[in-house]
Amino acid sequence: MSENNFDSESTENLYSLAKEKIEFGESLKSYVSRHKDIEGLQKLARKINQELKFLRKVCRDRTLKKEHLQCSNLTHFSALIDTLSTIKNCESVNKVYCLEDRKVTVDIVCDNGLTWIKVIARNPKSLSQICMGNSSYGTRSIIDQASEYVQCAKLYPCLFQTPKVIFVFVNGIGSNLSNKLKNCGVTVVGARSEDYDIAESDSDLSDDENVEKPSCTDLSTINATCIKKINLDVSAMLAYCCSVANGSAYLYDFHVPVLKQQAEWERQRPVKPILDNFFEGKTLYCCETAKTSFKNIVNTVGGSNEKIRSKELLERVVVLPDNATYKETLEGSEGSEIFRNVQFTPDKVLKLGGKIRQRSLTIFLFGDRIQAVTVTSNDGFIRAAKQQNINFVVFVHESRALTEQKEHTKAIPFSS
């Protein structure tokens, strides 16, 4: 008897909440009707109407479920309108831009097009879990969306400037996730708390050596894209020229665990387009040590096509002595403020040992002296340097090895 009463009360409470949700949706429509001059708001009003129509139908048919309220888009629409009410010079809402073969919808465009805003009303703990991989297959993390926004903004400059990307987290965000977004080039608005962070030990990641490698982008220097000089590490040149990054990842299944994993990464996140995008409009440099080491590796283990690509790459690179300074480059000092804040200085000594090897140290110091951002996959060196309180200006990408020779001996074509 009491159980039936409980079920009845729970059902009535659910319908009461639905009624409140519908009334709330009507208030959102009221705001929209008062701001008809903003592009896209009428489209938003139609979406709100669709939500309300659905809720009224399930209430009328007595088929309402708790999930209907939990998954209602009215929560997001409310957060969007709340954010909109605090913004001046709003130009449009739900503005659609094209990025390659897909569309990117920007919640709010303001400041005469100079600012793009995305509004996030999701549970902050859930956002962190998704970024740690604790989600169903195909679920896109907020980091994926940030990367997409930043990439898209570069394609649509306004007043000769790339629009600023802002993510507004209505319910807050984890501190670690906030830092990762900043490293992607996104400005974060919302309460930060370590309580929302998910420890790696709490995730579903295993300790197996073949588990997917976490993103290295959190090691890249913030705002380094403004620097027009690039110092190529050996690892960057190998990644750019290797067969696996130039098509063979889709042709072969490698026996060697490391190569098998890198091929899988390449299919998920092709590294060459990332590097090409970062190289665009910039001058490529390398020191003599990097050039010599790169050529030796290619000549020893590189395949015929990898050797051709390496030659073509070096023709694009300005090679300077190991001890060169920025005064010896063809350009002046770029991003000097960044270098003043984080560069290696003569009064600090980086001790050799472990991940700090002489060749790497020579290459990174060269990039520091000519005031170029060092492009590298050597995250071990960067982390080891950070432990000694030394920060280099870097752009970090995933590692790729030369694979062409091994395709004939330690790989199976997918077609066979």
Side-chain angles (χ1 to χ4, degrees):
M1 182 73 175
S2 61
E3 184 176 352
N4 290 335
N5 287 338
F6 176 79
D7 290 341
S8 176
E9 290 177 4
S10 298
T11 300
E12 289 307 314
N13 286 339
L14 193 62
Y15 279 91
S16 177
L17 289 173
K19 182 180 178 182
E20 292 177 7
K21 201 88 168 179
I22 291 170
E23 292 175 351
F24 177 69
E26 290 294 341
S27 69
L28 296 181
K29 286 173 57 181
S30 176
Y31 175 90
V32 171
S33 65
R34 298 195 303 271
H35 298 81
K36 294 181 180 180
D37 56 319
I38 299 177
E39 178 190 355
L41 268 188
Q42 295 309 307
K43 183 178 179 180
L44 178 61
R46 290 195 293 271
K47 290 183 178 181
I48 294 174
N49 268 329
Q50 290 174 356
E51 291 289 324
L52 295 179
K53 183 178 179 180
F54 173 77
L55 287 177
R56 288 191 177 103
K57 181 179 184 301
V58 293
C59 285
R60 184 175 61 251
D61 297 343
R62 304 299 291 181
T63 56
L64 178 67
K65 297 179 180 179
K66 182 172 63 175
E67 291 78 10
H68 293 152
L69 300 180
Q70 292 175 334
C71 300
S72 173
N73 287 324
L74 289 176
T75 302
H76 171 71
F77 297 152
S78 170
L80 194 158
I81 289 176
D82 284 345
T83 303
L84 191 61
S85 64
T86 66
I87 291 172
K88 298 179 180 180
N89 302 321
C90 179
E91 191 172 278
S92 58
V93 172
N94 288 336
K95 181 80 170 180
V96 177
Y97 296 90
C98 291
L99 176 62
E100 296 176 350
D101 59 344
R102 57 195 184 278
K103 294 181 178 179
V104 176
T105 301
V106 179
D107 290 337
I108 299 172
V109 178
C110 56
D111 296 334
N112 296 316
L114 290 172
T115 301
W116 289 8
I117 298 176
K118 179 174 179 61
V119 181
I120 301 98
R122 296 193 63 172
N123 180 290
K125 198 95 171 179
S126 173
L127 290 170
S128 294
Q129 287 175 334
I130 292 172
C131 286
M132 289 296 295
N134 297 348
S135 61
S136 58
Y137 176 78
T139 302
R140 296 171 65 251
S141 73
I142 199 68
I143 298 295
D144 295 328
Q145 295 175 56
S147 176
E148 195 172 67
Y149 258 65
V150 171
Q151 186 180 355
C152 190
K154 293 177 182 177
L155 298 178
Y156 295 90
C158 178
L159 301 177
F160 310 110
Q161 301 176 54
T162 299
K164 179 181 180 181
V165 175
I166 300 176
F167 277 21
V168 177
F169 293 87
V170 177
N171 297 318
I173 180 176
S175 299
N176 289 341
L177 188 52
S178 174
N179 291 333
K180 290 181 179 180
L181 287 171
K182 288 179 181 178
N183 289 335
C184 288
V186 171
T187 299
V188 177
V189 175
R192 288 109 164 135
S193 174
E194 294 181 358
D195 295 338
Y196 302 141
D197 292 329
I198 302 295
E200 190 165 317
S201 58
D202 295 335
S203 74
D204 290 335
L205 297 176
S206 72
D207 292 327
D208 187 86
E209 66 177 2
N210 291 327
V211 75
E212 182 170 307
K213 183 181 179 181
S215 172
C216 295
T217 54
D218 59 327
L219 290 174
S220 297
T221 306
I222 300 174
N223 297 327
T225 54
C226 70
I227 301 169
K228 301 302 181 184
K229 291 183 288 188
I230 287 177
N231 170 38
L232 294 177
D233 180 27
V234 175
S235 61
M237 292 189 278
L238 292 173
Y240 194 83
C241 299
C242 70
S243 183
V244 76
N246 284 272
S248 72
Y250 301 93
L251 302 176
Y252 297 95
D253 186 19
F254 294 90
H255 297 321
V256 181
V258 173
L259 300 183
K260 185 181 183 70
Q261 182 63 86
Q262 288 190 5
E264 179 60 26
W265 291 345
E266 179 63 22
R267 289 189 286 271
Q268 295 175 6
R269 298 174 296 276
V271 74
K272 195 167 182 178
I274 294 174
L275 293 175
D276 277 330
N277 182 60
F278 193 75
F279 292 172
E280 186 176 358
K282 300 170 185 175
T283 305
L284 306 181
Y285 294 88
C286 79
C287 62
E288 284 287 354
T289 290
K291 175 189 174 183
T292 301
S293 297
F294 173 59
K295 290 182 69 174
N296 287 342
I297 294 172
V298 171
N299 289 335
T300 303
V301 298
S304 57
N305 290 313
E306 288 172 334
K307 290 176 180 177
I308 292 172
R309 284 190 290 268
S310 67
K311 182 180 179 181
E312 292 173 346
L313 175 61
L314 287 176
E315 288 175 351
R316 297 169 53 191
V317 177
V318 179
V319 182
L320 296 174
D322 291 347
N323 61 352
T325 66
Y326 81 88
K327 294 179 181 179
E328 296 171 68
T329 64
L330 301 177
E331 304 162 85
S333 175
E334 298 283 347
S336 57
E337 186 63 32
I338 294 176
F339 279 85
R340 276 198 295 271
N341 290 335
V342 300
Q343 74 172 350
F344 180 89
T345 52
D347 58 331
K348 295 180 180 179
V349 178
L350 194 55
K351 297 179 181 178
L352 294 175
K355 297 290 185 179
I356 307 295
R357 299 176 182 174
Q358 185 59 59
R359 187 187 75 178
S360 297
L361 183 57
T362 299
I363 293 170
F364 278 76
L365 287 179
F366 166 81
D368 194 67
R369 279 194 301 272
I370 69 169
Q371 296 203 349
V373 54
T374 298
V375 178
T376 180
S377 68
N378 193 350
D379 55 341
F381 177 92
I382 298 167
R383 294 180 193 279
K386 282 179 177 291
Q387 291 177 354
Q388 297 186 39
N389 296 317
I390 303 296
N391 296 297
F392 290 94
V393 179
V394 293
F395 177 82
V396 185
H397 60 85
E398 290 182 345
S399 59
R400 300 288 187 270
L402 298 179
T403 56
E404 190 173 359
Q405 286 189 15
K406 298 179 179 64
E407 290 165 8
H408 307 295
T409 58
K410 298 184 178 181
I412 302 175
F414 280 126
S415 57
S416 65

